[in-house]
Amino acid sequence: MKKLFFLLVVMFMGTASRAQTYHFDVNNDGEIELTDALLIIDYILGRFNPEDNNPPQSHLACPDDHHPHLIDLGLPSGTKWACCNVDTDHPENQSPTNYGGYYAWGETVTKSTYSWESYTHCDGSSSSCHDLGSDIAGTKYDVAHVKWGGSWVMPSRAQQGELRDNCTYEWTTENGVKGGKFTGKNGGSIFLPAAGARGASRLEHAGSFGYYWSSTQYPSLAFYAYYLYFFSDGTNTDYSLRHNGFTVRPVSRN
């Protein structure tokens, strides 16, 4: 299998004029996996450049339809937020109002059923959850970094709290999609669609609630992780069972 994988990588590298900039471990997670080949395909098709470790130019709002963009909200930490959710199943549809993919915490693929039985990082129950570390940002468990590469990562609990505490929140509708708009003191803003969540095989609360994973694991109970939620009455952070399917809005770590 590994031999076939290497042959595929070499083949892809030979078909793109700029592919010589790649190395096998494309997302720098310390392992050579199928994800690296998929990132190469995305690059050949002009979707993302995982080798670009410099964040794109930041803006106060999206300047065009070539998402994702890096949005400056004037936050105290200097953290810049992406303008749209992770959606590598359909990257051509990425936009600020697109729900994107639903991911269990620490997983990097979408699926049809979200439960302890289908969750990769446990042995069938909450009591057997694997400890992935206090923060998975930039690791092989970080779907934002694995799918988008470069400086993109999942936001930490602290970064989500900073967004909530330093921005004006508004429940609004953009292009027919309900969600939360966070506007910084500098006038920059991002829209997070109320994409709901996936539990078992159902999509629940779409259009009414937004649930967005952070990269931070709950410290004392490994089967929980922190997330940001919002609805018509406000926004806050909390922790939830890791097998739930939530959306992800990346930040840049540079």
Side-chain angles (χ1 to χ4, degrees):
M1 183 66 181
K2 284 189 175 180
K3 185 175 181 181
L4 177 60
F5 172 74
F6 277 105
L7 289 174
L8 284 171
V9 172
V10 172
M11 178 182 70
F12 292 140
M13 292 175 72
T15 60
S17 60
R18 292 188 295 166
Q20 68 270 16
T21 63
Y22 283 100
H23 52 86
F24 291 135
D25 184 14
V26 177
N27 58 17
N28 297 307
D29 65 358
E31 297 186 12
I32 298 173
E33 302 173 308
L34 180 58
T35 297
D36 297 294
L38 295 176
L39 285 169
I40 291 175
I41 294 172
D42 284 341
Y43 177 67
I44 292 171
L45 296 178
R47 295 170 179 165
F48 300 105
N49 183 0
E51 190 67 18
D52 181 9
N53 289 312
N54 296 312
Q57 182 180 0
S58 59
H59 307 272
L60 299 182
C62 294
D64 53 46
D65 293 329
H66 301 291
H67 307 295
H69 298 104
L70 203 59
I71 307 300
D72 183 2
L73 300 172
L75 298 173
S77 69
T79 298
K80 309 299 190 300
W81 283 74
C83 66
C84 57
N85 293 349
V86 174
D87 186 7
T88 52
D89 294 328
H90 305 284
E92 68 279 2
N93 295 329
Q94 286 183 150
S95 76
T97 57
N98 185 27
Y99 285 176
Y102 297 83
Y103 301 91
W105 193 80
E107 292 188 347
T108 58
V109 295
T110 58
K111 52 192 180 182
S112 59
T113 302
Y114 294 79
S115 65
W116 289 126
E117 289 74 22
S118 68
Y119 184 52
T120 303
H121 304 304
C122 78
D123 299 319
S125 70
S126 61
S127 61
S128 61
C129 265
H130 309 157
D131 187 343
L132 303 186
S134 61
D135 196 297
I136 61 173
T139 71
K140 65 180 180 180
Y141 306 115
D142 177 352
V143 64
H145 190 61
V146 168
K147 299 300 186 183
W148 285 14
S151 63
W152 297 110
V153 294
M154 294 171 67
S156 66
R157 180 196 182 196
Q159 288 171 323
Q160 288 186 336
E162 181 187 50
L163 177 74
R164 182 199 66 211
D165 295 339
N166 291 275
C167 291
T168 300
Y169 172 76
E170 177 189 6
W171 178 258
T172 187
T173 300
E174 292 197 6
N175 296 327
V177 178
K178 293 181 179 180
K181 185 176 182 180
F182 294 81
T183 303
K185 295 178 181 178
N186 66 346
S189 66
I190 56 172
F191 175 79
L192 276 64
R198 288 198 173 274
S201 57
R202 302 180 305 277
L203 175 60
E204 300 175 332
H205 308 304
S208 300
F209 284 83
Y211 303 94
Y212 285 74
W213 280 128
S214 80
S215 60
T216 309
Q217 184 174 273
Y218 190 78
S220 57
L221 297 172
F223 51 85
Y224 286 130
Y226 287 103
Y227 71 102
L228 172 76
Y229 73 90
F230 55 86
F231 60 117
S232 59
D233 290 341
T235 177
N236 210 333
T237 57
D238 204 344
Y239 55 89
S240 180
L241 298 173
R242 285 170 26 182
H243 68 71
N244 288 323
F246 291 173
T247 44
V248 174
R249 177 60 63 92
V251 297
S252 173
R253 63 181 177 185
N254 285 359

